[in-house]
Amino acid sequence: MTERKLRGLYVVTPDLADTATLVGLVRRALEGRPALLQYRSKHPDAALRREQAAALVQPCRDAGVPLVINDDLQLALAIGADGAHLGREDGDIAAARAALGPKRILGVTCYNEWARAEAGLAAGADYVAFGAVFSSPTKPAAVHAPLALLTRAHLELRCPVAAIGGITLENASAVVAAGADLLAVISDVFDASNPGARAAAYAALFESV
């Protein structure tokens, strides 16, 4: 498993079909130096997803921000991404760890399930993600993960803890205070007039904790 310290904003890409628009927005967000950037797309066109993911490799390298691919281990391997983030239906975590090797990043979505977090870590995950901590426009039907679960994870699990779901700059401080090491955010960064400044504002939340 990677020894990289994961702490800060975990910016997640919006679902856009236009690659040039997506890359432009990502470049602006990277100016705020997030801890991680995740490429997330539910577009049915596999060729488009590969095109977009590959197009984000160099901007992330230039910014020194690791690129993680959501829900698709094979795509992460194909483009040489820095890691993968896998949910319940995305394959075996131990097999993913073996495929990625020891230095790349592996995260697991745990929803609100403590047992899944423990199992993911035992299988080689680098971080666990709980959510939705607040109602989310991206996943309105997502299960709720209370802030108390983040606190328990912070105290009991020896790994970074990510929070996702409805996080905004206005409610983020409470999530960090509860024990989150990573704040996974889509809309509140990419819908901002200045995504880089918005990302930097999130980073500042961790400087005082």
Side-chain angles (χ1 to χ4, degrees):
M1 299 189 336
T2 178
E3 296 180 0
R4 186 194 309 273
K5 177 60 177 175
L6 301 175
R7 184 168 172 79
L9 174 65
Y10 188 177
V11 68
V12 180
T13 60
D15 226 337
L16 297 175
D18 186 272
T19 301
T21 299
L22 176 66
V23 173
L25 282 170
V26 165
R27 286 186 182 278
R28 295 178 67 191
L30 289 170
E31 293 173 0
R33 300 304 301 271
L36 292 173
L37 185 132
Q38 181 189 113
Y39 172 68
R40 176 189 184 275
S41 175
K42 299 303 180 181
H43 199 283
D45 186 341
L48 176 64
R49 294 198 306 273
R50 177 161 179 156
E51 171 191 299
Q52 292 187 337
L56 296 179
V57 172
Q58 195 58 50
C60 287
R61 295 278 192 277
D62 292 343
V65 176
L67 171 64
V68 173
I69 306 300
N70 184 62
D71 292 351
D72 194 333
L73 173 64
Q74 294 309 312
L75 178 57
L77 294 171
I79 67 163
D82 299 295
H85 180 92
L86 304 179
R88 186 182 287 116
E89 310 300 326
D90 301 325
D92 180 74
I93 300 302
R97 176 78 276 165
L100 287 168
K103 295 184 178 180
R104 285 193 275 191
I105 300 167
L106 178 59
V108 292
T109 296
C110 301
Y111 313 97
N112 60 0
E113 302 169 18
W114 184 259
R116 180 170 173 79
E118 290 185 316
L121 287 178
D126 293 300
Y127 70 87
V128 295
F130 293 101
V133 292
F134 304 110
S135 59
S136 168
T138 305
K139 291 187 175 183
V143 298
H144 174 61
L147 294 182
L149 186 59
L150 301 178
T151 302
R152 180 186 178 191
H154 175 75
L155 293 173
E156 297 184 27
L157 300 179
R158 294 180 176 274
C159 74
V161 178
I164 191 168
I167 297 172
T168 67
L169 198 56
E170 288 69 33
N171 62 31
S173 293
V175 186
V176 175
D181 299 287
L182 293 162
L183 301 177
V185 182
I186 305 174
S187 301
D188 197 57
V189 170
F190 287 106
D191 288 349
S193 58
N194 187 332
R198 196 69 164 179
Y202 276 95
L205 295 175
F206 291 86
E207 296 173 0
S208 58
V209 177

